[in-house]
Amino acid sequence: MDDAAPRWPDRPLLTNPVAIFCLSGTLMSPNTSSSCPKNPASLSGTWTISPEGRLGNQMGQYATLLALAQLNGLQAFILPDMHAALAPVFRITLPVLAPEVDSHTPWRKLQLHDWMSEEYAHLKNPLLKLTGFPCSWTFFHHLWEQIRSEFTLHDHLREKAQDFLRQLRLPDTGILPGTFVGVHVRRGDYLEVMPQRWKGVVGDGVYLQQAMDWFRARHEAPVFVVTSNGMGWYRENINTSQGDVIFAGDGQEESPEKDFALLTQCNHTIMTIGTFGFWAAYLAGGDTVYLANFTLPDSNFLRIFKPEAAFLPEWVGINADLSPLQKLRRSLFGIA
């Protein structure tokens, strides 16, 4: 339910350190969330961002544009394609830039890497078009309440998701569950992209079982609400004998809003990889378990992806099983 194209396209390999800023440009600690100054009183200029990818990618682009524009005292606009992707799902408020204005504006373009850096706090060009696939909390976490407001679901989506959850019952007692854990399993194109391009893996059955057991040990009678673009695989590879796993999503990548709404209305989240799972966890709040260390140490992916900038410090990582990749490497190089 993320992008059909790879989430992380080819781009320059960057190693800039991660920085976390308030609107004033003051360095923050990773756990700071509410001590930042208010938005600038007046904004000028015109900033936008190139909309690329599907729902999760464009949410990251929207949130990053909003945060960086406020940080630098500039006015943010979105392009019509981004409005078309996000407005049917969320109550977004950024104004839309007319196509003719976009085409006639002498933009300076800036490709972003996927974490906040100090230079991004000092971008004073009044006509700036951002590009890239940013989706790091280090850009926008200090605006948590504002981001949550921007990504408020429309009533009909929220109500439909809540109606579904209200109908669920515990198998032994028939009572309403007290804890809902949303589970997003990203498969699809990542089954080829991760091992072939990034020397990485996707979440397997062992990881998902460990993640569910983590919640079972900490919450009384949780119910796991599963969405995936590989639901058939999930049904065949996950132990459902405890009766607490519900296959809820429809896995339709062209219309992901139903699955996304379900995940955000749960109390907690299990995610594998991808921006769709990140945003579901970020907006749901509660506890989040994520797949950690899912590439080999020499993967170039680690040059464009910083785990400390991708996953909130309070989230819980469970290491991926890299043995299939290691076994493949040994067979290719004839290593016993």
Side-chain angles (χ1 to χ4, degrees), residues 248-269:
D250 58 19
Q252 297 300 311
E253 294 184 334
E254 294 78 14
S255 54
E257 59 272 9
K258 175 186 173 183
D259 287 1
F260 191 83
L262 273 175
L263 292 170
T264 61
Q265 297 308 298
C266 290
N267 306 107
H268 310 287
T269 308

Side-chain angles (χ1 to χ4, degrees), residues 114-189:
D114 198 9
W115 56 89
M116 181 62 186
S117 295
E118 184 174 0
E119 65 265 28
Y120 295 160
H122 309 286
L123 301 172
K124 301 308 179 185
N125 193 299
L127 300 174
L128 186 64
K129 178 179 283 189
L130 305 173
T131 64
F133 290 78
C135 190
S136 168
W137 63 270
T138 58
F139 287 112
F140 47 73
H141 193 51
H142 58 285
L143 301 176
W144 156 245
E145 292 295 341
Q146 186 177 0
I147 297 300
R148 185 177 179 86
S149 176
E150 291 289 327
F151 293 144
T152 298
L153 293 169
H154 289 301
D155 290 346
H156 71 281
L157 291 172
R158 187 190 70 254
E159 291 167 2
K160 187 173 182 180
Q162 291 180 353
D163 286 344
F164 178 90
L165 296 177
R166 277 193 290 264
Q167 294 174 19
L168 299 181
R169 295 294 182 268
L170 294 173
D172 295 332
T173 64
I175 65 173
L176 182 70
T179 301
F180 298 95
V181 181
V183 183
H184 179 250
V185 183
R186 174 65 193 271
R187 294 183 64 77
D189 58 307

Side-chain angles (χ1 to χ4, degrees), residues 41-69:
S42 60
L43 300 175
S44 61
T46 303
W47 278 22
T48 191
I49 192 165
S50 296
E52 299 184 56
R54 293 187 178 171
L55 186 67
N57 292 144
Q58 294 202 38
M59 292 176 70
Q61 292 159 357
Y62 184 102
T64 301
L65 168 66
L66 183 153
L68 290 184

Side-chain angles (χ1 to χ4, degrees), residues 184-207:
H184 179 250
V185 183
R186 174 65 193 271
R187 294 183 64 77
D189 58 307
Y190 274 24
L191 295 174
E192 295 182 359
V193 171
M194 290 309 296
Q196 295 179 11
R197 185 174 185 181
W198 296 120
K199 301 179 184 177
V201 298
V202 298
D204 60 11
V206 173
Y207 159 73

